[in-house]
Amino acid sequence: MTAGNPTMTTAEIRSAFLHFFEERGCKLFPSSSLIPDDPSLLLANAGMNQFKQYYQGKKTMHEIGATSCQKCVRTNDIDIIGTDGRHASFFEMLGNFSFGGVSKQQACAWALELSTEVFKLPIERLYFTVFTDDDETYEIWRSLGVEESHISRLGEDDNFWAAGPTGPCGPCSEIYYDMGEDVGCGRPDCAPGCDCDRFLEYWNLVFTQFDRQEDGSMPELPHRNLDTGMGLERMSAIMQGKTSFFDGDIMQGLIRLGEEISGASYVSDDYIGPSRSLRIIADHARSVDFMISDGILPGNEGRGYVLRRLLRRAVFHGRLLGVTEPFLGRFIDRVNELMGDAYPELTKNVALVKGIVSAEEERFSTTLDNGRVYLDEALAKLGEGEVLDGASAFMLHDTFGFPIDLTVEIAQGAGHEVDIDGFNREMEAQRERARANVKGDAWGSFNDVWTELSDTLASTEFCGYDADDIDGARVLAIVRDGASVDAAATSETVDVVLDRTPFYAEMGGQVGDAGTLMCGDVYVTVADTVSHNGLYAHRAQVTSAGELKVGDVVRAVVDGTRRELIRRNHTATHLLDAALKEVLGDHVNQAGSQLDDHRLRFDFTHFEALSAEELARIEEIVNREIFAAKPVVTRVMGIDEARASGAVALFGEKYGDVVRVVSVGEEEHPFSRELCGGTHARNTAEIGLFRIVSESSTGSNVRRIEAVTSLGAMAYLEERERMLAAAAEALKCRPDEVVTRIEALQRNLRDANQKLKAALTGGSSDAIATAIDQAVEVSGYKLVIAKLSGLEAAELRNVWDTVRSKIHTPVACVLATVTEKGTPALLAAATDDAAKAGFNAGSIIKAIAPAVDGRGGGRPTMAQAGGKNADGIDAALAAARGELGL
């Protein structure tokens, strides 16, 4: 297989595509974030995602169309990745889009021109598919010189796109490249749509031209939309003469690194051995780098779970290749080297990305070991020749990251098969759940009341940066129970939309403003303010007699005291962010925030708990800036100018062309400078005081600080003073003596506890002495069985030491206690002679632990178990007697 220009690199193909459509009047858009604006999508998975509002008519494009190269992540087929040359978790989608500006004829002509004139693909190797009933597109391809034998008609499953059961839809036309008979199935009827690798689809043109109704009719949309996509990796494989895009330049750059790290050799057509693992690591490492760089952090749900699963699969396949040390950081560097020019966001947070990856690799090493323990225990419960159930195999796959083939290999080594059908049922059930979560795709909320209102109303003008009270705001809409209404009467709770407002709508972690709307004698109390597609909804209740009607002109007054406290907390988060970077390092990035008039919460990326010294230093720095009474200055500027000024952008956040930049301190050398649309104090001195209330973890690699300022800090200190006074009163000392008095009490308590433990576990303990006296003779040794109280699990060993010291013949024991936390603990132990005589501590514990809802094990001479059911201790000891024939 030879393409027209096999020397083109992936970067050159990407550039040629975008330049082609720019030259023809299409506007070039940068890739949007992998975190989509659309809440119905988990991850950006197609080029059209960022153009949804243009398709819906909410935005208008002056150019005839748009072009972009969109980074995408899809994991629906994650288990296939590496087993063929077509599936990947990360891919780049080259796109050309139009919203009425490009005809079907023109779109097809451009596709053919780019393929044959720019990429020099021989037309005799190109094949085209159209929807069964789409005679129009069929005739267009024929008019452009495509042979009839190279055009196929496919059904709705393959060549028709729909937003859902109703709504926008239309036919598709795909272009395939014939990779050659040598990679095909050999059947005489082999054609585009066949499951073999001969015909590779590289371009799809979607003509969204109909609006499907509930009765099944499909009238034409007001204007025809165009959504075309070309898979960059597939085109690279075609252009570079490869049958697999893993053999293209970028993926080979990553696979060669895998060879270097592991010592394994890559073979292009090896889909089951080490080459499969090399493909998986290369693919997943690229996804991981892009996802974290866009602000996604590992987690246990949503996109965080997708990231964690990809990362752990990469680590696991490193283990399969014999790599036991952390290695993904080197892949991050290589991805940045290969793709950083096209995606500069990769190089902006390298320290953070590598820190997160390193922490996850270390954590997963422990998880892998635990997974192996789970598998070994599951296999140990099976009888000879029994099959490991599919649910257990899926648990290993889903929770511990064990691929099914590894589970099969280990199970077969132990003499067991795996219920693959049961595993597949569990896997399919998970896929169905995943599909349900994204049902409706990017069109999920096409017809709700706020979408309808935003189609007819201009966005609300926010004028609250400089004013808390304005006259002359007009009521544009009133929403009650999800429906637009003309008026709101006394006591009704509604959402009120104004043409302009001083009320800040909740966003960026800052809560919405509260206050009052007044229209003559009608008073409306606003409890909160939120934004819907740019329309500010004042969540309010009519609290006086009369009605508020659409068209009324109102006075809008923000609760000034509440807003001032919110301003102070917001500015404090900026100071805190800068202080964290100063104390902990530049890897710190804001990972979320929430602030109101009472306190602030700030989440940030970091890999371990903060020490008391670090927290004290951070608090000291923030208060230093407050006491310095530095000005807080806000400027509006272009995004490029803002970044050039050193303004900090929130990790993973998306910004428009014009932004607000908030600086604290001198213009030339500010202490803090961030992109921010919230409201702020005018001077740091207004914050008054800053106190950290708590520091905790919210998940792997993310810490949380909660703090108070201003009146909140005063209330916090007053409460602490009351608590100190109460402690001093209880201890009958002065407040400044509380610490000394507590330390003395703790010493006394430790001494008393030590004496008590010695009495309970020593030879003088009545319970132990009685148990020793009641020791029974078993063949070859003496046996002590005892239920004790007031001991911890570790202290049962001390009891065993006492038993051995008192009984000088071969001896064994089974001991039980309920710990201070109320959980049961069991111990079985024996001298070497007792073990030789037949006592096996490990077997005894394994047999009796289920009675306390626990499990455990150990050596023949020493074994322990914990559990959850303390009421089962008597049953456990009875079971021990039964096991020993008593």
Side-chain angles (χ1 to χ4, degrees):
M1 182 205 73
T2 303
N5 187 357
T7 62
M8 285 188 80
T9 66
T10 297
E12 290 169 340
I13 295 169
R14 184 193 299 116
S15 177
F17 181 98
L18 298 175
H19 181 67
F20 178 88
F21 285 104
E22 261 198 301
E23 276 191 327
R24 284 150 183 78
C26 296
K27 182 179 179 180
L28 174 62
F29 282 76
S31 172
S32 64
S33 170
L34 285 171
I35 304 175
D37 289 326
D38 191 328
S40 70
L41 286 176
L42 193 64
L43 292 158
N45 59 12
M48 64 79 60
N49 294 158
Q50 67 171 308
F51 300 106
K52 175 183 175 183
Q53 291 191 326
Y54 291 100
Y55 282 112
Q56 293 177 331
K58 296 177 185 177
K59 288 185 177 181
T60 301
M61 187 174 292
H62 299 296
E63 295 80 7
I64 63 170
T67 187
S68 71
C69 184
Q70 175 65 45
K71 52 193 176 186
C72 301
V73 169
R74 287 181 189 163
T75 56
N76 293 351
D77 300 312
I78 189 171
D79 296 300
I80 301 175
I81 294 169
T83 64
D84 64 17
R86 294 178 294 171
H87 289 85
S89 61
F90 176 90
F91 59 96
E92 298 175 80
M93 185 60 72
L94 294 162
N96 170 224
F97 313 90
S98 180
F99 321 101
V102 176
S103 68
K104 223 179 193 182
Q105 173 82 28
Q106 186 66 75
C108 293
W110 282 348
L112 191 59
E113 181 185 356
L114 180 60
S115 297
T116 58
E117 300 298 325
V118 177
F119 293 143
K120 306 294 184 184
L121 300 179
I123 193 168
E124 62 270 17
R125 303 293 287 269
L126 303 185
Y127 286 77
F128 304 77
T129 65
V130 299
F131 178 53
T132 303
D133 300 331
D134 189 9
D135 295 332
E136 181 184 7
T137 305
Y138 181 92
E139 293 301 329
I140 288 173
W141 288 127
R142 292 288 290 119
S143 71
L144 293 172
V146 178
E147 295 290 335
E148 186 175 354
S149 61
H150 282 232
I151 306 175
S152 305
R153 294 179 183 265
L154 296 179
E156 189 165 339
D157 289 343
D158 295 296
N159 276 60
F160 197 90
W161 178 87
T166 61
C169 59
C172 310
S173 183
E174 299 169 327
I175 309 178
Y176 290 75
Y177 188 80
D178 183 355
M179 305 291 281
E181 292 184 10
D182 55 328
V183 296
C185 59
R187 296 196 303 265
D189 60 345
C190 183
C194 181
D195 290 335
C196 74
D197 290 335
R198 175 173 177 177
F199 294 98
L200 181 63
E201 177 210 336
Y202 69 88
W203 201 326
N204 186 15
L205 298 96
V206 181
F207 306 110
T208 311
Q209 60 191 83
F210 302 116
D211 186 11
R212 181 182 280 159
Q213 306 298 303
E214 291 187 2
D215 62 3
S217 62
M218 294 195 298
E220 288 261 353
L221 288 166
H223 55 75
R224 292 185 169 190
N225 297 317
L226 168 68
D227 169 11
T228 74
M230 174 191 283
L232 177 56
E233 286 82 2
R234 293 190 177 190
M235 178 52 70
S236 296
I238 292 171
M239 295 295 294
Q240 294 167 17
K242 309 296 182 182
T243 57
S244 163
F245 70 69
F246 282 104
D247 295 339
D249 55 340
I250 287 183
M251 297 310 293
Q252 276 298 298
L254 295 170
I255 287 172
R256 284 194 295 272
L257 175 60
E259 290 180 303
E260 177 186 331
I261 291 172
S262 67
S265 296
Y266 179 75
V267 180
S268 180
D269 58 357
D270 171 19
Y271 289 109
I272 58 174
S275 297
R276 173 174 176 256
S277 291
L278 288 170
R279 289 189 196 92
I280 289 171
I281 294 169
D283 169 79
H284 289 10
R286 188 165 64 152
S287 294
V288 164
D289 192 8
F290 273 88
M291 291 175 77
I292 300 177
S293 295
D294 271 359
I296 300 169
L297 298 174
N300 293 323
E301 58 185 23
R303 56 182 69 97
Y305 173 75
V306 173
L307 169 60
R308 174 166 283 163
R309 189 176 180 204
L310 288 167
L311 196 154
R312 291 186 168 189
R313 282 189 98 236
V315 173
F316 178 79
H317 279 274
R319 284 279 191 100
L320 288 184
L321 295 175
V323 183
T324 57
E325 297 299 318
F327 65 90
L328 280 180
R330 294 178 63 182
F331 274 89
I332 300 302
D333 289 334
R334 182 62 59 87
V335 172
N336 294 349
E337 176 188 324
L338 293 168
M339 305 186 71
D341 289 341
Y343 298 97
E345 62 270 23
L346 293 177
T347 60
K348 289 180 179 178
N349 294 290
V350 177
L352 173 63
V353 174
K354 293 176 73 173
I356 291 172
V357 165
S358 176
E360 282 290 312
E361 280 190 276
E362 182 178 343
R363 184 177 292 108
F364 185 48
S365 293
T366 302
T367 301
L368 269 177
D369 294 338
N370 291 339
R372 183 58 191 264
V373 170
Y374 176 90
L375 177 56
D376 288 344
E377 289 181 350
L379 293 174
K381 295 176 183 177
L382 300 177
E384 184 177 350
E386 283 189 327
V387 175
L388 181 70
D389 63 282
S392 295
F394 182 74
M395 168 72 80
L396 282 160
H397 165 86
D398 197 48
T399 302
F400 297 106
F402 269 54
I404 185 62
D405 52 356
L406 175 75
T407 302
V408 169
E409 181 181 336
I410 294 173
Q412 288 177 341
H416 303 279
E417 296 298 324
V418 178
D419 179 9
I420 298 297
D421 290 340
F423 172 84
N424 289 334
R425 285 193 295 273
E426 296 284 347
M427 179 68 73
E428 184 57 31
Q430 185 192 64
R431 286 174 176 158
E432 287 297 329
R433 290 191 294 271
R435 293 186 191 109
N437 286 338
V438 298
K439 186 168 283 187
D441 211 24
W443 304 81
S445 57
F446 194 73
N447 290 317
D448 71 3
V449 65
W450 295 106
T451 299
E452 294 171 3
L453 288 173
S454 63
D455 285 341
T456 57
L457 300 177
S459 296
T460 303
E461 176 190 354
F462 177 62
C463 47
Y465 289 121
D466 303 311
D468 295 347
D469 181 343
I470 66 167
D471 275 317
R474 186 174 298 278
V475 178
L476 298 182
I478 299 174
V479 174
R480 183 177 62 237
D481 298 329
S484 183
V485 296
D486 294 328
T490 303
S491 299
E492 287 186 340
T493 299
V494 293
D495 287 344
V496 180
V497 179
L498 303 179
D499 62 345
R500 58 194 187 97
T501 183
F503 286 74
Y504 183 84
E506 179 178 353
M507 65 186 77
Q510 179 176 331
V511 297
D513 279 328
T516 307
L517 305 179
M518 293 172 279
C519 179
D521 294 331
V522 178
Y523 281 72
V524 180
T525 300
V526 178
D528 193 11
T529 310
V530 297
S531 175
H532 295 285
N533 300 326
L535 299 178
Y536 282 29
H538 303 74
R539 293 182 169 171
Q541 184 178 55
V542 181
T543 52
S544 65
E547 280 189 328
L548 181 72
K549 300 183 292 297
V550 172
D552 282 348
V553 176
V554 302
R555 179 185 175 192
V557 182
V558 173
D559 181 337
T561 300
R562 180 175 179 273
R563 167 177 275 193
E564 284 304 317
L565 295 173
I566 294 171
R567 287 178 187 266
R568 296 168 190 178
N569 280 338
H570 199 156
T571 303
T573 64
H574 286 218
L575 299 179
L576 174 59
D577 189 19
L580 286 165
K581 288 180 169 65
E582 183 175 325
V583 174
L584 303 179
D586 289 337
H587 67 277
V588 169
N589 275 280
Q590 182 174 338
S593 68
Q594 185 68 44
L595 58 103
D596 55 26
D597 51 323
H598 299 295
R599 62 173 51 203
L600 64 92
R601 188 185 76 203
F602 190 83
D603 296 345
F604 58 97
T605 52
H606 190 55
F607 315 117
E608 59 186 358
L610 275 64
S611 66
E613 292 76 14
E614 288 170 330
L615 289 171
R617 177 64 179 144
I618 291 162
E619 194 175 81
E620 176 190 350
I621 291 170
V622 174
N623 282 314
R624 179 194 70 197
E625 298 302 310
I626 292 171
F627 300 152
K630 291 185 176 180
V632 181
V633 179
T634 301
R635 292 178 55 209
V636 178
M637 61 182 74
I639 184 65
D640 293 335
E641 181 186 356
R643 286 177 172 146
S645 74
V648 174
L650 294 189
F651 186 46
E653 187 68 33
K654 298 174 281 292
Y655 297 94
D657 295 334
V658 178
V659 293
R660 294 177 65 83
V661 177
V662 178
S663 302
V664 177
E666 300 300 325
E667 178 66 23
E668 293 299 319
H669 302 288
F671 175 72
S672 165
R673 176 170 286 159
E674 294 190 20
L675 304 181
C676 183
T679 60
H680 285 274
R682 290 156 288 271
N683 187 289
T684 59
E686 295 175 5
I687 300 172
L689 183 67
F690 173 86
R691 291 301 303 266
I692 293 175
V693 174
S694 67
E695 189 271 346
S696 61
S697 169
T698 65
S700 60
N701 311 309
V702 178
R703 308 297 301 179
R704 169 173 294 171
I705 281 179
E706 295 191 60
V708 288
T709 71
S710 187
L711 298 182
M714 291 293 292
Y716 175 79
L717 292 176
E718 289 170 359
E719 176 61 21
R720 290 301 180 271
E721 285 187 359
R722 282 193 292 271
M723 293 170 64
L724 179 60
E729 182 178 355
L731 294 169
K732 301 188 183 308
C733 65
R734 298 195 309 270
D736 59 342
E737 297 175 336
V738 166
V739 174
T740 303
R741 182 61 61 87
I742 290 174
E743 288 173 345
L745 290 172
Q746 286 177 325
R747 283 194 300 272
N748 294 338
L749 181 60
R750 280 196 299 269
D751 292 342
N753 282 336
Q754 287 172 358
K755 292 176 182 177
L756 176 62
K757 297 300 182 187
L760 289 172
T761 61
S764 61
S765 166
D766 290 342
I768 295 173
T770 300
I772 291 172
D773 290 341
Q774 294 176 352
V776 295
E777 289 285 347
V778 183
S779 56
Y781 61 91
K782 281 191 173 184
L783 175 65
V784 174
I785 297 181
K787 176 181 177 182
L788 305 169
S789 59
L791 300 179
E792 296 301 306
E795 290 162 352
L796 291 178
R797 288 177 178 250
N798 297 336
V799 176
W800 164 237
D801 291 338
T802 298
V803 170
R804 280 192 305 178
S805 69
K806 296 294 183 181
I807 300 178
H808 302 294
T809 60
V811 62
C813 72
V814 180
L815 307 174
T817 187
V818 179
T819 70
E820 188 175 314
K821 294 182 178 179
T823 57
L826 305 174
L827 178 138
T831 60
D832 290 339
D833 290 339
K836 289 176 183 177
F839 186 91
N840 188 314
S843 297
I844 292 293
I845 286 296
K846 196 168 186 179
I848 70 175
V852 294
D853 293 346
R855 59 185 181 184
R859 307 184 308 276
T861 56
M862 176 68 70
Q864 288 183 273
K868 300 176 183 177
N869 177 24
D871 293 335
I873 281 182
D874 291 338
L877 296 179
R881 292 185 178 93
E883 289 287 323
L884 295 167
L886 300 180

